[in-house]
Amino acid sequence: MQFVIQCEDIPNGLELRMATRPAHMDYLKSQDAHVLGAGPFLDEQDQMVGSLLIVDFPSEAEARTFAQNDPYAKAGLFASTSIRRWRWGVKPPASV
């Protein structure tokens, strides 16, 4: 089942985000079988201020564990995180 994970960064979190980004990207690559899509939210100056991930896990508990183990989350980058069940409506990837 698919989930959308939406994360908003703490104020002025760009430096922490950039310092943690290599570990975050390695983590996403290590979870490739579960990550269907991901990318940052941007502010008016095109600076990264949050994250959106679309993931596939058997349960919400597993999606929540995935989100909690993200290096960004462990570093304290996120002011808030929401996880919601979700279903592709238009142009689903071939793997879904």
Side-chain angles (χ1 to χ4, degrees), residues 38-78:
F41 289 112
L42 305 174
D43 66 11
E44 295 78 19
Q45 291 77 41
D46 288 333
Q47 299 295 315
M48 294 179 277
V49 295
S51 298
L52 176 76
L53 300 101
I54 302 169
V55 298
D56 190 355
F57 283 98
S59 70
E60 183 175 340
E62 289 167 280
R64 197 162 296 284
T65 296
F66 165 84
Q68 291 168 345
N69 286 324
D70 186 324
Y72 280 165
K74 287 184 170 187
L77 176 62
F78 300 134

